[in-house]
Each structure stands twice: as structure tokens, then as C-alpha cells.
Amino acid sequence: MVEAAIIVPAILNGLTTGAVYALVALGLTLIYGVLHIINFAHGALLMVALYGVYFLYALAGIDPYLALPIMIPAMFALGYLLQRYVIGRAGHGKDENVMLVTLGLSIVIENLALYLWSSDTRTIETAYGFATVDLGVALIAVPKAVAFVGALAITAVLWALMRWTDLGKAIRALARERRGAQLVGIDVEHLYAVSFGIGIACLGAAACLLLPSYYASPHIGSAFVLIAFTIVVLGGMGSFIGALVGGLIIGVTESLGGLFLGESLGKIGVFLIFIAVLLFRPTGLFGQRV
Amino acid sequence: MMLTLDHIAKRFGGVQAVSDVTFAVARGEIVALIGPNGAGKTTLFSLIAGFLAPDAGAIRFEDRDVTGLPPHRIAALGLVRTFQTAQPFERLTVAQNIAVGAHLHLASRGAALRRGAEIAERVGLGKWLHRPSRELTVAGRKRLELGRALATEPHLVLLDEVMAGLNPTEIDAIVPTIFAIRDSGITVLLTEHVMRAVMRLSDRVLVLNNGRLIAQGKPADVATDPAVIEAYLGRGVAPPAARELARG
Amino acid sequence: MKSAAAIIVLLLALIPLPWLVRSDFWLNFAVLTLYYGFLGQSWNILGGYGGQYSFGHAAFFGTGAYTSAVLQLQLGFNPWLAVGLASVAGGVVAAIVGGLSFRYGLRGSYFALITLAFAEVLRILADSLGFTGAGVGLQVPLHPAVVNFQFAGKSGFYFTMLVLTALGLAVVWYIEHSRFGARLMAVRDNEDAAQALGVNVYRVKLGAIVVSGILMALGGVFYLQYFLYIDPEIAYGPAVSIAALLAPIVGGLGTMCGPLLGAAALQLLNEVSESAIGAAPGLNLVLYGAVLVLIIAFLPEGIAGVARLRIGLPRGRAA
Ligand SMILES: Nc1ncnc2c1ncn2[C@@H]1O[C@H](COP(=O)(O)OP(=O)(O)OP(=O)(O)O)[C@@H](O)[C@H]1O
Ligand SMILES: [Mg+2]
């Protein structure tokens, strides 16, 4: 029997990681829900965001959490431009092409990072990096606790944005029906790019929350991209609540997998869930809506 | 009997697209299935050809229960459908498109392509043989649908609005093609909104409305059936068709 | 039949290359071009002719490479004997991946995702299991001799690749001239219409993925013999999957020579950029990724498509 003393912290750790995963997946699911494309460059763009946070800290001394108001608009702009001027144009509106264009982008971005910044792993040292909070049942690292709360808060803000603002309503209308949106005079291309931008802005936020307990390196994105896909598929493509619940489930699965099967084999659980969901329940746990 | 439907029903969420439909088609007949838009004609074809499974009822083809069989098995038995919106293999030529159908019984590539050329001639696509099918006009695509279906050497074809989108000249041209198909021994079940063609072509007419069969009989009898006229006028969806229908 | 003759002449003309090109550098260039072209031929069968875009062809490549390595190193097999079993293993993995995905009707992005996930599962397994050498990988000892499927010079590998290329071309020729191929292309263009005409879509796709998997596994076997080392990242990582899809997309999807054209173009680009900017990690892939995006944006039919326009070649006439 494994002691509760080991399992409880593993679950808590899994939940904190899962909340950040959820934030990453939220961007992916939003993009899928509105544009119906699978963004294979999502992981690469997260990597870019992590470097952004790293350089803000290393060169300008800006604390990762204070970088949030810089990274969110910066990543939004990057996403907007990519969709408006690259993905939207090169894809010719065909699913397979869009898929390949985002794959091509991810290859370019990852290897450009490798070329510019080498394959070194970059970490930052903050005053609170090794501090812990005592939750009674377990100790938890401060950066992870902040990431958990921060990711949930940002998710809530995004949810409110989609729910109650005119922009959110327009995006949801567009997600339901492109034709109809065009008819009521919505600038569809602009709104697509805005949606993509919001999806990528999620990555800017995730990077700020991640870096204090994580690192930046050129190939870091691929570790996230499959996990984010898994979450999105598990939660249901395009589902908000699905991404959140899916993220938490996957975070805990990974953490417990690592505990019982070891660091390397532990990751397999996530992918087996992925394959099983794709095969047996491709609509995921929460169906399809935005 | 060629085809028998026994109390067939199909529901999509809140829409009862087909309810309790029972009819039979005899060998060698040309039967027209008519009804206003959304009556359930295409759905019925999809059910017969195995693209959808019925919620209730049974379908027999040449005295064999085919309910729930996948489409390719049903096609192999000799029952082939065409699509209301033509579905060409866009990157293949006309000959290659038709050859896919011919391959159902011909293993040899050469033989299938020769068959493709023959049939292209028969449905009036001879000049287009080596053109990519995506270059065809709407009328050409409809003929391609027809040609591919014929290439499978079916016993029964389901033609879903092969005349929709054609101009009057093109319609007049396709009518003899359909008679020729019947004369070659193939039974025809078709849906059509072009009443002039229905009246000329069909031995028997079935009328579907809101998923139910509301009338059947000789074209002239059906055309004067008050229930049928009411169905068309009541919907107000296809007045020209209804006017033609009323005129007979 | 004319196309077949042209291809046979081309292959025959390529035989004397090692005697004409004395530099190891250019012979290595030729070997790698044929090798990437061959991986592309494998992917093209499923992706180009069948319309099913796999992002995880590494699953079959790695299985071929690992099967051969494990048979040689752990069970003392002769590498030539291992070739057969390795390709069977690749075909079996392909049958499992395809059987599951196609049975449950996965298409488009979903199919791409699930192939990616399968490759990843295999990578994790190879990284964790003892008999695959785990993270350390497996090294085949250097014993150059024809019986060992190792050659002292590059020319032996060149001829091996030439034979594999001929095999790949023969398979594609068959696809363009057979009922199976006709059905495969029909499924690619329109599954519903194919079904309506009596095509068993599931079986056709399964056939295509198995053939594709067997060829890809042979690519893995070749890699192992040429470089004598594999690890989980090389065998099952995304780089191979991307290499396999890049060549046919650049060269021309669903065409006989597209993958070879694409591979040659990419290898040239690689050499030119290295001599211009110097070798740097990642740089060639930056270019490849950019080429992928540009090709899709401006030349969706690849180089073969441009060639057809310029010379007025007929498009994909089978027979
Ligand atoms: N896949 C589907 N999902 C949900 N509803 C459907 C589906 N297919 C058809 N329907 C609905 O079922 C009803 C019957 O449609 P069907 O296409 O069979 O009509 P039809 O008689 O062929 O019409 P038309 O003359 O316009 O072709 C319609 O209300 C339609 O909206
Ligand atoms: Mg219809």
C-alpha cells in the first residue's frame, strides 16, 4: 500500500499542474471551437511565451507575475498577426492545409528558437521559488499554488469575457455559424484573428504562471502540445468547462502515473487516455460547444 | 418484388424525418417518389442504401433482408444510389470516376476503364472522358452520378433529383437516358421536383409529406388527389411544382 | 506503360552513379535523397493516394528499426533475416493503428492526432523498457561485410537505397494501375460516393496503411544499418514523421515521382543553406518548415504540379 502521505501531495501537485494545462488547453479549445482548426503550433507558441517571460526577467528584471500585463497583449498580437496574415491566407480554408500550415509554423518557431537561443535549459531564480505553503495535508511550492489560483482566475475572466461581453457574444455567434455572422455584417476575418489571438494570449498568461517553477527550452512545446490535445479531446473539442476539468484530470493522471510507474513510463497514461477517448468518445466528456 | 419497405421510421433529434413508410417496387418499374422540400425523400434513399439505419421497420431487396447492412454491401448486392448534390471524385477524370463503379465486378484496371469509356458515351459524357471531373458543369456532374451508378451493373438504382439544376433542354435530353436504363433491365426509383418529367417517366408515383406516405398510384390519379394538392399548396414551398401537378 | 518504361530507364541510369561521383560527400547526398524520398513514398501511399494525413509515421519507422536492432543484438539474428521480420512488425503496428482509427471512423485532424499519439506511446515504451536499451538506445557494432548488411563504402548503401526506391516506385505504379489504387483514390476524394459504389472504405484504408507501414519500417531498417545507432527520439520522435510528410507535399502529393522530387529539392536546399550560412542546429528545419508553409500557400500541387503546368504533362492519367 502506498501511503496517503505520498498520494495526497501527488494529487495536489497534479491539480496545480493541471490548472496550467487547462489554461493552455483553453486557448487550443477556443481556437478549435471558433475556427475549427487544430493548432499544431500551440506548443511552439507556448515556448515562445516562456522565453518572453524569461528574457523580461533576465534582461529587464521584471518578475514573471508582473509580466502578465505585458505577455498577454504581446501574445495576443502575435496570434492575431499569425492567423490574419499566415494561417488564414496559406490554408485556403482547407482543413488539411491549415493543419499542415500550423505544423510548418511549429517547425519554424521551434528551430528558430534552437538556432537563436541554443538548446540550453533556462530557469530563473526568484525569492519565492523554493518557498512553500502548508496546506495541513501537504506542503506545496508557492509558485505552484500561485499558478493554480492564477490559472483558475484567468479561466474565470475568459469565461466571463466570452459570456457577457459583446465581443464574446460575437465570437460565439461566429463559432455557431459563419454564414450568419457574415450576414449580420461581422468582419469575419478580423474576428477569427481576434479569437486566435485570445487563444494565444492564454499561452502568454500560462507562461508567466509556469516559469517560476519551470524552465524554457526550444523543444519544451512538444511536451505540452500533445497534453493540451489530450485535454481538449477529453473535455470535448470546443468546450470551456471540458478544458478545465480535462486539464485537472490529466494533471492528476500524470502525477499519479509518475508516482506509480516512474518518471518515464508514467507519461504513457495520458496518451492512452488520449487514444481511448479519440476512439470511443471523440465528442469528449462535455460534447461540443463554446 | 425488387424492393420492399416495411414500416420504416427515422428520427433526427426532434425531427421525425420518415415515419411508418411502407411500399414496394416491382422489377422493371420506374417509380417516382415526390414530395415538398424536406418531406424525407433523401432520408428515405439513405435508409434504403444503408447510409442510415432505420429506427424501426425492415427493408428487403430481392427477397433478402438488407436492413442495417453497410452501404458497400448493399451496393454489391445490386442496389445503388446517386446523390442529390453530385459527389464526384474531384481529382479523377470522368473515365476514372466511372471505372470505380465498374470495378465492383471487374478486377482488371483496363477492363474497368474501357467500361468507363463505354458508359461515359451512354450518358453523354464521351467528349469529357479524360477531363478531371471537377471541371464538369452541374448537368455533367449529374450525368456522372448516373454513369458511375450504372457502371456497377445494378438491379435497382435510386436517382436523387438527377434533374435538379438542369435547364429544360438538358431535362429533355436526360429523359430518354432514363428510359434506356429501364429498358436495359434496371429498375428505377427516383425523386424529382420537375413534374413534367415525373409525369412522362414514371409508371407509378409515391407521395411523401412530412415523412409520411400520403398517396400513391398512377401519375394522373395522384396529380388530382386532393391530399396531394393540399400538401404542396399547404406548404407553399413549391408552387410551380404544385401548379404543374394540378394540371397533370 | 510509357511511364513504367521511363522510370525503369531512370533507375538503370542511376546505377553507375557511384563510379561517376567519386566524392563521398555527394554519394552521401544521393543516399540521403533516396532515403528521404523513400520515407516520402511510404507516406505518400496513405497521405497522397489515400488522403489520410498521418503525423506519426515514426510509429512504423521506429518499429522497423527497433525490431531489427533487438533481433540482432538480443537474439543474434543476421540483419538480412531481421529485415523480413522488421517489415512485418511495421505492418502489424500499422494494422493496429489503422484498424482502430478507421474502424472508429477517425478522419482529418483526428487521424493526424491519433497517429501522433501512437508514435508517442511507442516512444515512451522504447524509453522505458530494458530490451530496447531504454533512453540509452541501441548500438549495432561496426562489422562491415555484405553478410552483415554493412558496407565499407557508401556505394553499398546507395545500391540498397536504389533497390528500395525501385520497390517504392513499383508499389505506387501498382496503385496507379490497379483496382485497389482506383478505390484508394476514390476514398481519398469522396468516402460517401466510394461507399455508394460498393467500395469497402475501411478495408481500402487499412490496406493502404499496412503497405505504407511496411515500407516505412524498411526505411527504419535502412537507417539502423546506415547509422548503426537508434534511440527513442530518433526512432519514434516527431522528426521522422515530419520528414516523411514533407517530401511528398513539397514534391507533389499523390504523384509517382513527387516524393523523390521533393526529397531532392529539400536536400539541395539544405546543402545550399549550409554552404551559405554555415551549419547550425535547427537552421535546416527552419527552412523546411518555411518551405512547407510556402508550398501550401502558393503551390498546393507541389513541384510536380508546376512541372505539369510548364511542360503540359497530363495529370495523373492511370493506364
Ligand atoms: N442528417 C440530418 N440531421 C438532422 N436532420 C436531418 C438530417 N437529414 C435530414 N434532416 C431533416 O429531415 C427532414 C427530411 O429531409 P430530406 O433531406 O430527407 O428531405 P427531402 O425530401 O430530400 O427534401 P428536398 O426535396 O429538399 O431534397 C428535413 O426536415 C431535414 O432537415
Ligand atoms: Mg432531398
Side-chain angles (χ1 to χ4, degrees):
Chain A
M1 263 321 284
V2 184
E3 299 280 320
I6 308 175
I7 294 189
V8 171
I11 291 179
L12 284 177
N13 252 317
L15 286 175
T16 58
T17 321
V20 179
Y21 284 169
L23 193 52
V24 173
L26 212 57
L28 198 61
T29 213
L30 176 72
I31 291 170
Y32 181 84
V34 180
L35 292 94
H36 299 283
I37 64 177
I38 295 197
N39 177 25
F40 281 92
H42 212 64
L45 289 167
L46 175 64
M47 179 270 295
V48 169
L50 283 165
Y51 272 101
V53 181
Y54 170 81
F55 284 120
L56 282 176
Y57 182 81
L59 303 178
I62 299 175
D63 184 271
Y65 300 135
L66 299 179
L68 274 168
I70 304 172
M71 287 309 295
I72 290 177
M75 291 306 287
F76 171 84
L78 179 60
Y80 183 95
L81 294 174
L82 276 178
Q83 165 60 26
R84 186 101 204 215
Y85 297 105
V86 183
I87 302 172
R89 299 222 171 148
H92 304 296
K94 280 201 203 149
D95 283 358
E96 306 89 45
N97 288 350
V98 172
M99 190 164 93
L100 290 170
V101 168
T102 60
L103 179 72
L105 277 178
S106 78
I107 299 172
V108 171
I109 296 169
E110 267 186 26
N111 291 287
L112 207 55
L114 182 64
Y115 178 65
L116 295 175
W117 302 318
S118 83
S119 60
D120 298 349
T121 310
R122 309 202 187 212
T123 52
I124 58 172
E125 293 193 4
T126 51
Y128 46 80
F130 291 100
T132 53
V133 274
D134 192 347
L135 295 180
V137 281
L139 289 178
I140 220 164
V142 166
K144 295 209 150 198
V146 173
F148 181 76
V149 176
L152 293 186
I154 291 166
T155 304
V157 169
L158 192 57
W159 188 80
L161 180 98
M162 295 300 289
R163 191 103 215 141
W164 287 309
T165 64
D166 286 346
L167 176 67
K169 283 176 191 158
I171 289 178
R172 283 190 300 143
L174 180 62
R176 273 195 304 276
E177 232 219 308
R178 187 195 164 117
R179 262 281 200 42
Q182 249 161 347
L183 289 179
V184 269
I186 291 176
D187 180 352
V188 170
E189 295 313 318
H190 169 71
L191 208 53
Y192 274 156
V194 168
S195 310
F196 198 89
I198 295 176
I200 302 307
C202 290
L203 298 177
C208 295
L209 297 174
L210 262 177
L211 199 67
S213 58
Y214 208 65
Y215 59 94
S217 99
H219 293 302
I220 195 71
S222 52
F224 281 89
V225 76
L226 268 176
I227 287 173
F229 283 140
T230 307
I231 293 165
V232 167
V233 168
L234 177 66
M237 292 255 195
S239 162
F240 244 74
I241 187 83
L244 188 59
V245 175
L248 297 176
I249 293 177
I250 293 300
V252 172
T253 306
E254 193 188 53
S255 176
L256 291 179
L259 185 63
F260 291 112
L261 299 172
E263 184 64 30
S264 159
L265 199 56
K267 296 201 183 77
I268 212 167
V270 172
F271 297 111
L272 293 179
I273 291 182
F274 186 39
I275 291 171
V277 175
L278 272 177
L279 291 175
F280 305 117
R281 201 176 157 74
T283 50
L285 299 175
F286 295 89
Q288 194 166 320
R289 66 201 119 103
V290 171
Chain B
M1 271 297 144
M2 197 64 178
L3 176 73
T4 323
L5 269 67
D6 193 12
H7 301 289
I8 291 295
K10 181 72 188 177
R11 166 183 283 279
F12 296 114
V15 182
Q16 188 70 42
V18 170
S19 37
D20 199 29
V21 168
T22 299
F23 69 82
V25 176
R27 191 173 303 275
E29 271 191 305
I30 296 180
V31 176
L33 178 66
I34 65 169
N37 291 109
K41 305 179 292 293
T42 299
T43 305
L44 202 54
F45 274 19
S46 295
L47 289 163
I48 299 171
F51 282 80
L52 295 171
D55 299 334
I59 301 166
R60 298 181 69 79
F61 172 62
E62 295 189 321
D63 299 319
R64 242 179 124 131
D65 189 356
V66 295
T67 327
L69 283 188
H72 69 270
R73 293 276 309 281
I74 294 180
L77 291 173
L79 193 171
V80 175
R81 74 172 295 189
T82 65
F83 293 91
Q84 182 170 351
T85 338
Q87 312 272 345
F89 305 121
E90 297 215 344
R91 291 176 61 184
L92 305 186
T93 64
V94 166
Q96 288 169 343
N97 261 272
I98 302 177
V100 174
H103 271 309
L104 186 57
H105 297 297
L106 297 172
S108 145
R109 185 76 183 131
L113 284 169
R114 277 193 297 281
R115 200 77 223 289
E118 259 167 56
I119 289 175
E121 205 63 56
R122 222 168 104 194
V123 296
L125 287 174
K127 275 191 230 128
W128 294 82
L129 210 52
H130 297 299
R131 311 289 307 178
S133 58
R134 68 178 150 209
E135 291 177 9
L136 293 176
T137 59
V138 173
R141 284 165 181 246
K142 298 269 174 179
R143 289 174 178 276
L144 186 62
E145 281 284 322
L146 197 60
R148 282 195 317 203
L150 294 181
T152 65
E153 296 175 21
H155 307 168
L156 170 65
V157 284
L158 310 181
L159 306 180
D160 199 351
E161 300 199 14
V162 279
M163 293 171 212
L166 305 195
N167 63 39
T169 330
E170 288 165 339
I171 290 171
D172 287 339
I174 212 163
V175 166
T177 313
I178 292 171
F179 275 126
I181 291 168
R182 192 262 298 274
D183 295 341
S184 71
I186 299 170
T187 307
V188 179
L189 175 60
L190 54 86
T191 72
E192 204 47 71
H193 284 298
V194 184
M195 285 309 143
R196 197 156 50 99
V198 169
M199 293 298 145
R200 269 170 66 193
L201 273 171
S202 47
D203 301 316
R204 214 146 55 81
V205 178
L206 306 168
V207 188
L208 208 57
N209 187 30
N210 288 329
R212 292 184 176 280
L213 212 52
I214 55 165
Q216 55 177 310
K218 293 249 177 280
D221 299 340
V222 168
T224 51
D225 188 319
V228 175
I229 294 165
E230 171 60 27
Y232 273 89
L233 294 180
R235 296 287 278 261
V237 279
R243 257 181 279 122
E244 279 185 48
L245 196 62
R247 262 188 274 126
Chain C
M1 303 298 133
K2 249 189 278 166
S3 61
I7 279 159
I8 290 168
V9 168
L10 181 73
L11 285 171
L12 290 175
L14 282 173
I15 290 177
L17 193 80
W19 290 282
L20 300 173
V21 177
R22 282 322 191 64
S23 96
D24 251 14
F25 174 82
W26 284 108
L27 209 51
N28 183 50
F29 179 88
V31 171
L32 290 182
T33 300
L34 291 178
Y35 163 73
Y36 283 115
F38 182 71
L39 299 187
Q41 284 180 318
S42 153
W43 192 91
N44 193 36
I45 290 167
L46 184 65
Y49 287 95
Q52 314 299 312
Y53 290 11
S54 154
F55 281 13
H57 253 46
F60 319 137
F61 175 92
T63 300
Y66 266 113
T67 305
S68 174
V70 168
L71 287 175
Q72 289 181 54
L73 297 174
Q74 324 288 25
L75 303 170
F77 267 61
N78 175 281
W80 290 108
L81 285 179
V83 172
L85 287 171
S87 53
V88 168
V92 168
V93 169
I96 294 169
V97 173
L100 286 170
S101 338
F102 300 142
R103 172 68 72 203
Y104 289 97
L106 295 189
R107 302 190 212 177
S109 329
Y110 285 91
F111 178 69
L113 282 175
I114 203 167
T115 51
L116 196 63
F118 271 109
E120 195 59 15
V121 165
L122 290 170
R123 190 185 64 76
I124 293 170
L125 285 176
D127 206 28
S128 317
L129 300 177
F131 70 94
T132 59
V136 181
L138 291 173
Q139 179 141 26
V140 178
L142 179 70
H143 287 305
V146 175
V147 284
N148 291 336
F149 199 161
Q150 291 182 27
F151 309 101
K154 302 270 181 219
S155 54
F157 291 105
Y158 173 78
F159 291 127
T160 309
M161 257 342 296
L162 207 53
V163 169
L164 286 178
T165 305
L167 173 68
L169 285 168
V171 171
V172 173
W173 193 87
Y174 170 76
I175 284 176
E176 290 203 347
H177 297 84
S178 67
R179 165 153 84 176
F180 170 72
R183 288 177 166 172
L184 184 59
M185 289 185 266
V187 166
R188 169 193 66 196
D189 283 1
N190 196 318
E191 282 192 19
D192 280 346
Q195 279 186 58
L197 299 174
V199 175
N200 184 341
V201 170
Y202 169 71
R203 231 177 34 210
V204 168
K205 287 189 195 170
L206 192 61
I209 198 172
V210 168
V211 172
S212 182
I214 289 173
L215 292 185
M216 199 67 191
L218 286 174
V221 168
F222 178 85
Y223 181 95
L224 178 69
Q225 295 309 123
Y226 196 50
F227 295 102
L228 298 176
Y229 173 74
I230 46 162
D231 68 17
E233 190 59 35
I234 294 172
Y236 288 120
V240 168
S241 300
I242 290 168
L245 66 84
L246 211 50
I249 289 172
V250 170
L253 270 177
T255 62
M256 204 168 202
C257 295
L260 295 170
L261 273 176
L266 289 167
Q267 283 298 110
L268 264 176
L269 178 71
N270 193 18
E271 292 307 330
V272 170
S273 74
E274 276 191 12
S275 56
I277 324 176
L283 199 59
N284 59 342
L285 285 171
V286 172
L287 287 172
Y288 287 4
V291 166
L292 177 59
V293 174
L294 290 174
I295 287 269
I296 289 165
F298 300 109
L299 294 177
E301 289 193 51
I303 298 172
V306 183
R308 254 198 311 262
L309 286 180
R310 290 280 145 76
I311 326 172
L313 286 175
R315 66 174 64 240
R317 279 271 284 279

